[in-house]
Coordinates of all heavy atoms in Angstrom, one line a residue:
M281 N 38.2 -3.7 -64.9 CA 38.5 -2.3 -64.8 C 40.0 -2.2 -64.7 O 40.7 -3.0 -63.9 CB 37.8 -1.7 -63.6 CG 38.1 -0.2 -63.5 SD 37.4 0.5 -62.0 CE 35.7 0.4 -62.2
D282 N 40.6 -1.3 -65.4 CA 42.0 -1.1 -65.4 C 42.4 -0.5 -64.1 O 41.7 0.3 -63.5 CB 42.4 -0.2 -66.5 CG 43.9 -0.1 -66.7 OD1 44.6 -1.1 -66.4 OD2 44.3 0.9 -67.3
T283 N 43.6 -0.8 -63.6 CA 44.1 -0.3 -62.3 C 44.2 1.2 -62.3 O 43.9 1.8 -61.3 CB 45.4 -1.0 -61.9 OG1 45.2 -2.4 -62.0 CG2 45.9 -0.6 -60.5
G284 N 44.7 1.7 -63.4 CA 44.9 3.2 -63.5 C 43.5 3.9 -63.4 O 43.5 5.0 -62.7
I285 N 42.5 3.4 -64.0 CA 41.2 4.0 -63.9 C 40.7 4.0 -62.5 O 40.1 4.9 -61.9 CB 40.2 3.4 -64.9 CG1 40.6 3.7 -66.3 CG2 38.8 3.9 -64.7 CD1 39.8 2.9 -67.4
F286 N 40.8 2.8 -61.8 CA 40.4 2.6 -60.5 C 41.1 3.6 -59.5 O 40.5 4.2 -58.7 CB 40.7 1.2 -60.0 CG 40.3 0.9 -58.6 CD1 39.0 0.9 -58.2 CD2 41.3 0.7 -57.7 CE1 38.7 0.7 -56.8 CE2 41.0 0.5 -56.3 CZ 39.7 0.5 -55.9
L287 N 42.4 3.7 -59.7 CA 43.2 4.6 -58.8 C 42.8 6.1 -59.1 O 42.7 6.9 -58.1 CB 44.7 4.5 -59.0 CG 45.3 3.2 -58.5 CD1 46.7 3.1 -58.8 CD2 45.1 3.2 -57.0
A288 N 42.5 6.5 -60.3 CA 42.1 7.8 -60.6 C 40.7 8.1 -60.0 O 40.6 9.2 -59.4 CB 42.0 8.0 -62.1
I289 N 39.8 7.2 -60.1 CA 38.5 7.4 -59.5 C 38.6 7.5 -57.9 O 38.0 8.3 -57.3 CB 37.5 6.3 -59.9 CG1 37.2 6.4 -61.4 CG2 36.2 6.3 -59.1 CD1 36.4 5.2 -61.9
L290 N 39.4 6.6 -57.4 CA 39.6 6.6 -55.9 C 40.3 7.9 -55.4 O 39.9 8.5 -54.4 CB 40.5 5.4 -55.5 CG 40.7 5.2 -54.0 CD1 39.4 4.9 -53.3 CD2 41.7 4.0 -53.8
S291 N 41.3 8.4 -56.2 CA 41.9 9.6 -55.8 C 41.0 10.8 -55.9 O 41.0 11.7 -55.1 CB 43.2 9.9 -56.6 OG 42.9 10.0 -57.9
L292 N 40.2 10.9 -57.0 CA 39.2 12.0 -57.1 C 38.1 11.9 -56.0 O 37.7 13.0 -55.5 CB 38.5 11.9 -58.5 CG 39.4 12.3 -59.7 CD1 38.7 12.0 -61.0 CD2 39.8 13.7 -59.5
F293 N 37.7 10.7 -55.6 CA 36.7 10.6 -54.6 C 37.3 11.1 -53.2 O 36.7 11.8 -52.5 CB 36.2 9.2 -54.4 CG 35.3 8.9 -53.3 CD1 34.0 9.4 -53.4 CD2 35.7 8.3 -52.1 CE1 33.1 9.2 -52.3 CE2 34.8 8.1 -51.1 CZ 33.5 8.6 -51.2
T294 N 38.5 10.7 -53.0 CA 39.2 11.1 -51.7 C 39.4 12.6 -51.7 O 39.2 13.2 -50.7 CB 40.6 10.4 -51.6 OG1 40.4 9.0 -51.7 CG2 41.3 10.7 -50.3
F295 N 39.8 13.2 -52.8 CA 40.0 14.6 -52.9 C 38.7 15.3 -52.6 O 38.6 16.3 -51.9 CB 40.6 15.0 -54.2 CG 40.9 16.4 -54.4 CD1 41.9 17.0 -53.7 CD2 40.1 17.2 -55.3 CE1 42.2 18.4 -53.8 CE2 40.4 18.6 -55.4 CZ 41.4 19.2 -54.7
A296 N 37.6 14.9 -53.2 CA 36.3 15.5 -53.0 C 35.8 15.4 -51.6 O 35.2 16.3 -51.0 CB 35.3 14.8 -54.0
A297 N 36.1 14.2 -50.9 CA 35.7 14.1 -49.5 C 36.5 15.0 -48.6 O 35.9 15.6 -47.7 CB 35.9 12.6 -49.1
V298 N 37.8 15.2 -48.9 CA 38.6 16.1 -48.1 C 38.1 17.6 -48.3 O 38.0 18.3 -47.3 CB 40.1 16.0 -48.5 CG1 40.9 17.1 -47.9 CG2 40.6 14.7 -48.0
I299 N 37.8 18.0 -49.5 CA 37.3 19.3 -49.7 C 35.9 19.5 -49.1 O 35.7 20.5 -48.4 CB 37.1 19.6 -51.3 CG1 38.5 19.6 -51.9 CG2 36.4 20.8 -51.6 CD1 39.4 20.7 -51.5
F300 N 35.0 18.5 -49.1 CA 33.7 18.6 -48.5 C 33.9 18.8 -47.0 O 33.2 19.7 -46.4 CB 32.9 17.3 -48.8 CG 31.7 17.2 -48.0 CD1 30.6 18.0 -48.3 CD2 31.6 16.4 -46.9 CE1 29.4 17.9 -47.5 CE2 30.4 16.3 -46.1 CZ 29.3 17.1 -46.4
F301 N 34.7 18.0 -46.3 CA 34.9 18.1 -44.9 C 35.6 19.4 -44.5 O 35.3 20.0 -43.4 CB 35.6 16.9 -44.3 CG 34.8 15.7 -44.3 CD1 35.1 14.6 -45.0 CD2 33.6 15.6 -43.5 CE1 34.4 13.4 -45.0 CE2 32.9 14.5 -43.5 CZ 33.2 13.4 -44.2
A302 N 36.5 19.9 -45.3 CA 37.1 21.2 -45.0 C 36.1 22.3 -45.1 O 36.1 23.2 -44.2 CB 38.3 21.4 -46.0
V303 N 35.3 22.3 -46.1 CA 34.3 23.4 -46.3 C 33.3 23.3 -45.1 O 32.9 24.4 -44.6 CB 33.6 23.3 -47.6 CG1 32.4 24.2 -47.7 CG2 34.6 23.6 -48.7
R304 N 32.9 22.2 -44.7 CA 31.9 22.0 -43.6 C 32.5 22.5 -42.3 O 31.9 23.2 -41.5 CB 31.4 20.6 -43.5 CG 30.3 20.4 -42.6 CD 29.8 19.0 -42.5 NE 30.8 18.2 -41.8 CZ 30.6 17.0 -41.4 NH1 29.5 16.4 -41.6 NH2 31.5 16.3 -40.7
S305 N 33.8 22.1 -42.1 CA 34.4 22.6 -40.9 C 34.6 24.1 -40.8 O 34.5 24.7 -39.8 CB 35.8 21.9 -40.7 OG 36.5 22.3 -39.6
R306 N 35.0 24.7 -42.0 CA 35.1 26.1 -42.0 C 33.8 26.8 -41.7 O 33.8 27.8 -41.0 CB 35.6 26.5 -43.4 CG 35.8 28.0 -43.6 CD 36.3 28.3 -45.0 NE 36.6 29.7 -45.1 CZ 35.7 30.6 -45.5 NH1 34.5 30.2 -45.9 NH2 36.0 31.9 -45.6
K307 N 32.7 26.3 -42.2 CA 31.4 26.9 -42.0 C 31.0 26.8 -40.5 O 30.5 27.8 -39.9 CB 30.3 26.2 -42.8 CG 28.9 26.8 -42.6 CD 27.9 26.1 -43.4 CE 26.5 26.7 -43.2 NZ 26.2 27.2 -41.9
K308 N 31.3 25.7 -39.9 CA 31.0 25.5 -38.5 C 31.8 26.5 -37.6 O 31.4 27.1 -36.7 CB 31.3 24.1 -38.0 CG 30.2 23.1 -38.4 CD 30.5 21.8 -37.8 CE 29.5 20.7 -38.1 NZ 29.8 19.4 -37.5
T309 N 33.1 26.7 -38.0 CA 34.0 27.6 -37.3 C 33.5 29.0 -37.4 O 33.4 29.8 -36.4 CB 35.4 27.5 -37.8 OG1 35.8 26.1 -37.6 CG2 36.3 28.4 -37.0
I310 N 33.1 29.4 -38.6 CA 32.6 30.8 -38.8 C 31.3 31.0 -38.1 O 31.1 32.1 -37.5 CB 32.5 31.1 -40.3 CG1 33.9 31.2 -41.0 CG2 31.7 32.3 -40.6 CD1 33.9 31.3 -42.5
D311 N 30.4 30.0 -38.1 CA 29.2 30.1 -37.3 C 29.5 30.3 -35.8 O 28.8 31.0 -35.1 CB 28.3 28.9 -37.6 CG 27.7 28.9 -39.0 OD1 27.8 30.0 -39.7 OD2 27.2 27.9 -39.4
R312 N 30.4 29.5 -35.3 CA 30.8 29.6 -33.9 C 31.4 30.9 -33.6 O 31.1 31.5 -32.5 CB 31.7 28.5 -33.6 CG 31.8 28.2 -32.1 CD 32.6 26.9 -31.8 NE 33.7 26.7 -32.8 CZ 34.0 25.5 -33.2 NH1 33.5 24.4 -32.8 NH2 35.0 25.4 -34.1
I313 N 32.2 31.5 -34.4 CA 32.8 32.8 -34.2 C 31.7 33.9 -34.2 O 31.7 34.8 -33.3 CB 33.9 33.1 -35.3 CG1 35.1 32.3 -35.0 CG2 34.2 34.6 -35.3 CD1 36.1 32.4 -36.2
N314 N 30.7 33.8 -35.1 CA 29.7 34.8 -35.2 C 28.5 34.6 -34.2 O 27.6 35.5 -34.2 CB 29.1 34.9 -36.6 CG 30.2 35.4 -37.6 OD1 31.0 36.1 -37.2 ND2 30.1 34.9 -38.8
D315 N 28.6 33.6 -33.4 CA 27.5 33.3 -32.4 C 27.7 34.2 -31.2 O 28.7 34.1 -30.5 CB 27.5 31.8 -32.0 CG 26.3 31.5 -31.2 OD1 25.4 32.3 -31.0 OD2 26.3 30.3 -30.6
P316 N 26.7 35.1 -30.9 CA 26.9 36.0 -29.8 C 26.9 35.3 -28.4 O 27.4 35.7 -27.4 CB 25.7 37.0 -29.9 CG 24.8 36.4 -30.8 CD 25.5 35.4 -31.6
K317 N 26.3 34.1 -28.3 CA 26.2 33.4 -27.1 C 27.6 32.8 -26.7 O 27.9 32.6 -25.5 CB 25.2 32.2 -27.2 CG 23.8 32.6 -27.3 CD 22.9 31.5 -27.2 CE 23.0 30.6 -28.4 NZ 22.1 29.5 -28.4
M318 N 28.5 32.6 -27.7 CA 29.8 32.1 -27.4 C 30.7 33.1 -26.8 O 31.8 32.8 -26.3 CB 30.4 31.5 -28.6 CG 29.7 30.3 -29.2 SD 29.6 29.0 -28.0 CE 31.3 28.5 -27.9
H319 N 30.4 34.4 -26.8 CA 31.3 35.4 -26.4 C 31.0 36.0 -25.0 O 31.5 37.0 -24.6 CB 31.3 36.6 -27.4 CG 31.8 36.2 -28.7 ND1 33.1 35.9 -28.9 CD2 31.2 36.0 -29.9 CE1 33.3 35.5 -30.2 NE2 32.1 35.6 -30.8
R320 N 30.1 35.3 -24.3 CA 29.8 35.7 -22.9 C 30.9 35.2 -22.0 O 31.6 34.2 -22.3 CB 28.4 35.1 -22.5 CG 27.3 35.7 -23.3 CD 26.0 35.3 -22.7 NE 25.8 33.9 -22.6 CZ 24.7 33.2 -22.7 NH1 23.6 33.9 -23.1 NH2 24.6 31.9 -22.6
D321 N 30.9 35.8 -20.8 CA 32.0 35.4 -19.8 C 31.8 34.0 -19.3 O 32.8 33.4 -18.9 CB 32.0 36.4 -18.6 CG 32.6 37.7 -19.0 OD1 33.4 37.8 -20.0 OD2 32.3 38.7 -18.3
E322 N 30.6 33.5 -19.2 CA 30.4 32.1 -18.7 C 31.0 31.1 -19.6 O 31.2 29.9 -19.2 CB 29.0 31.9 -18.4 CG 28.1 31.9 -19.7 CD 26.6 31.9 -19.4 OE1 26.2 32.6 -18.5 OE2 25.9 31.2 -20.2
N323 N 31.3 31.4 -20.9 CA 31.8 30.4 -21.8 C 33.3 30.4 -21.8 O 33.9 29.6 -22.6 CB 31.3 30.7 -23.2 CG 29.8 30.4 -23.3 OD1 29.3 29.5 -22.6 ND2 29.1 31.1 -24.1
K324 N 34.0 31.3 -21.0 CA 35.4 31.3 -21.0 C 36.0 30.2 -20.2 O 35.4 29.6 -19.3 CB 35.9 32.6 -20.4 CG 35.8 33.8 -21.3 CD 36.5 35.0 -20.6 CE 36.4 36.2 -21.5 NZ 37.0 37.4 -20.8
S325 N 37.2 29.8 -20.5 CA 37.9 28.8 -19.8 C 38.2 29.3 -18.4 O 38.4 30.5 -18.2 CB 39.2 28.5 -20.5 OG 40.0 27.6 -19.7
T326 N 38.3 28.3 -17.5 CA 38.6 28.7 -16.1 C 40.0 29.2 -16.0 O 40.4 29.9 -15.1 CB 38.4 27.5 -15.1 OG1 39.2 26.4 -15.6 CG2 36.9 27.1 -15.1
L327 N 40.9 28.8 -16.9 CA 42.2 29.3 -16.9 C 42.3 30.7 -17.3 O 43.3 31.4 -17.0 CB 43.1 28.4 -17.9 CG 43.2 27.0 -17.5 CD1 44.0 26.2 -18.6 CD2 44.0 26.8 -16.2
A328 N 41.3 31.2 -18.1 CA 41.4 32.6 -18.6 C 40.7 33.6 -17.6 O 40.7 34.8 -17.9 CB 40.7 32.6 -19.9
K329 N 40.1 33.1 -16.5 CA 39.4 34.0 -15.7 C 40.3 35.1 -15.0 O 40.0 36.2 -14.9 CB 38.7 33.3 -14.5 CG 37.4 32.6 -15.1 CD 36.7 32.0 -13.9 CE 35.4 31.4 -14.5 NZ 34.6 30.8 -13.5
D330 N 41.5 34.7 -14.7 CA 42.4 35.7 -14.0 C 43.4 36.2 -15.0 O 44.3 37.0 -14.6 CB 43.2 35.0 -12.8 CG 43.9 33.8 -13.2 OD1 43.8 33.3 -14.3 OD2 44.7 33.3 -12.3
A331 N 43.3 35.9 -16.3 CA 44.2 36.5 -17.3 C 43.7 37.9 -17.8 O 42.5 38.1 -17.7 CB 44.3 35.6 -18.5
P332 N 44.6 38.8 -18.1 CA 44.1 40.1 -18.6 C 43.4 40.0 -19.9 O 43.7 39.1 -20.8 CB 45.4 40.9 -18.7 CG 46.4 39.9 -18.9 CD 46.0 38.6 -18.2
D333 N 42.4 40.8 -20.1 CA 41.7 40.9 -21.4 C 42.6 41.6 -22.4 O 43.1 42.6 -22.1 CB 40.4 41.6 -21.3 CG 39.3 40.8 -20.5 OD1 39.5 39.5 -20.5 OD2 38.4 41.4 -19.9
R334 N 42.7 41.1 -23.6 CA 43.5 41.7 -24.6 C 42.6 42.1 -25.8 O 41.7 41.5 -26.2 CB 44.6 40.8 -25.1 CG 45.5 40.5 -24.1 CD 46.6 39.6 -24.6 NE 47.3 39.0 -23.5 CZ 48.4 38.4 -23.6 NH1 49.0 38.2 -24.8 NH2 49.0 37.9 -22.6

């Protein structure tokens, strides 16, 4: 196998893996934002308890 072909295949595989993980991470983040259980007061950080709500 020619080195150029090997590098092209390797770079395409790496690019596809990065896109896959980015899409999966975006979906998890959107699901977490839309989850009503995550917006209760008990899920806030202890540092935010005495901070004003904005």
Side-chain angles (χ1 to χ4, degrees):
M281 184 186 294
D282 190 26
T283 306
I285 294 172
F286 176 72
L287 287 177
I289 292 170
L290 184 63
S291 64
L292 288 175
F293 177 75
T294 304
F295 183 69
V298 168
I299 294 296
F300 170 76
F301 287 117
V303 169
R304 189 176 73 165
S305 176
R306 181 179 183 269
K307 183 183 178 324
K308 283 184 178 182
T309 302
I310 289 173
D311 290 343
R312 197 172 32 216
I313 289 171
N314 293 330
D315 187 9
K317 291 188 295 186
M318 293 301 292
H319 297 290
R320 294 191 305 217
D321 285 337
E322 64 192 37
N323 292 329
K324 283 186 179 179
S325 169
T326 56
L327 296 174
K329 282 187 179 179
D330 56 351
D333 290 334
R334 294 184 196 190

